[in-house]
Amino acid sequence: NAGVTQTPKFQVLKTGQSMTLQCAQDMNHNSMYWYRQDPGMGLRLIYYSASEGTTDKGEVPNGYNVSRLNKREFSLRLESAAPSQTSVYFCASSVDGRGGRYGNQPQHFGDGTRLSIL
Amino acid sequence: DQQVKQNSPSLSVQEGRISILNCDYTNSMFDYFLWYKKYPAEGPTFLISISSIKDKNEDGRFTVFLNKSAKHLSLHIVPSQPGDSAVYFCAASEGSGGSNYKLTFGKGTLLTVNP
């Protein structure tokens, strides 16, 4: 029962290098998300994909691009890594984006990718 | 400007006692609230949620209370167990239009349950 799988788990990059973080879910969820978590901070949304074929910016999208490859996979790309992008990156998925009065539709998270940029 | 605030960075309680974790929010458009639990080196795990049409939701040892007028919610864990020791995140979203894609998280509270 894998849930949300992120690869790699750890990565060290040099400033200016590019990198793609991979995420796959096996729960047949429609919506997928990328977050970053910095020390002493909560999670901040980078990008999300409400459904296959769509992507939208979150709170902190600058310096990132995303691709919803298919229903299962959602990748995050750093084109030119900067030290400020050192963080733990979490991918999440949910049945869809509906919540509240429509019922319980929480987001389920992977175990994260720890990225250091020197 | 933090829209979801968890003002206690840490909380320590004795096993068997009640743990109360608090969360305040400033955005009156939030209408769906969640609590997540996070162990070190793992992703957040969904714990419990509440819609703004309710003021209480229970799931086993976990109860979430929502006070909309005060823009305050709390998570009660009774009885607390050592395995509950983790960071707890409060999160909220604007459900208007039926969408809660954008979750706003608090900074988290580290709960330590002592045997």
Side-chain angles (χ1 to χ4, degrees), chain A residues 19-113:
Chain A
M19 170 81 189
T20 299
L21 308 186
Q22 306 287 353
C23 175
Q25 52 89 11
D26 62 2
M27 296 176 282
N28 200 35
H29 285 172
N30 290 305
S31 304
M32 298 185 73
Y33 314 82
W34 276 105
Y35 292 87
R36 62 178 287 175
Q37 185 190 15
D38 300 304
M41 300 288 288
L43 283 75
R44 292 183 291 169
L45 183 65
I46 304 171
Y47 271 93
Y48 68 98
S49 172
S51 60
E52 187 177 355
T54 69
T55 60
D56 284 285
K57 295 178 180 179
E59 181 184 354
V60 288
N62 291 343
Y64 304 96
N65 287 302
V66 290
S67 295
R68 185 72 183 268
L69 305 171
N70 48 55
K71 189 172 184 179
R72 290 187 63 247
E73 298 173 288
F74 188 38
S75 63
L76 178 72
R77 182 161 178 84
L78 288 71
E79 289 291 352
S80 179
S84 61
Q85 295 178 304
T86 293
S87 190
V88 181
Y89 291 85
F90 290 100
C91 177
S93 69
S94 65
V95 173
D96 57 29
R98 297 189 305 168
R101 62 186 70 84
Y102 295 106
N104 190 356
Q105 303 285 2
Q107 295 178 19
H108 299 267
F109 286 80
D111 284 339
T113 294

Side-chain angles (χ1 to χ4, degrees), chain A residues 31 33 35 37 40-43 45 48 50 57 90 96-107 109-111 114, chain B residues 31-32 34 36 38 40-44 46 49 51-53 89 95-107:
Chain A
S31 304
Y33 314 82
Y35 292 87
Q37 185 190 15
M41 300 288 288
L43 283 75
L45 183 65
Y48 68 98
K57 295 178 180 179
F90 290 100
D96 57 29
R98 297 189 305 168
R101 62 186 70 84
Y102 295 106
N104 190 356
Q105 303 285 2
Q107 295 178 19
F109 286 80
D111 284 339
R114 284 146 188 81
Chain B
D31 72 350
Y32 181 47
L34 308 91
Y36 282 86
K38 186 182 180 304
E42 294 185 8
F46 169 72
S49 64
S51 154
S52 60
I53 61 175
F89 289 101
S96 58
S99 168
N100 74 334
Y101 298 115
K102 296 184 178 182
L103 287 183
T104 301
F105 283 81
K107 291 185 177 182

Side-chain angles (χ1 to χ4, degrees), chain B residues 27-96:
Chain B
N27 186 344
S28 58
M29 298 300 292
F30 286 151
D31 72 350
Y32 181 47
F33 304 90
L34 308 91
W35 285 94
Y36 282 86
K37 173 180 176 180
K38 186 182 180 304
Y39 293 118
E42 294 185 8
T45 302
F46 169 72
L47 201 54
I48 192 168
S49 64
I50 188 166
S51 154
S52 60
I53 61 175
K54 296 184 176 181
D55 56 15
K56 177 182 173 181
N57 190 26
E58 287 182 84
D59 186 359
R61 296 186 296 115
F62 303 92
T63 303
V64 56
F65 295 92
L66 176 63
N67 182 334
K68 285 182 63 181
S69 61
K71 294 190 178 69
H72 176 84
L73 64 155
S74 60
L75 174 68
H76 293 211
I77 306 174
V78 183
S80 301
Q81 299 173 354
D84 295 330
S85 298
V87 176
Y88 288 78
F89 289 101
C90 172
S93 71
E94 297 179 31
S96 58

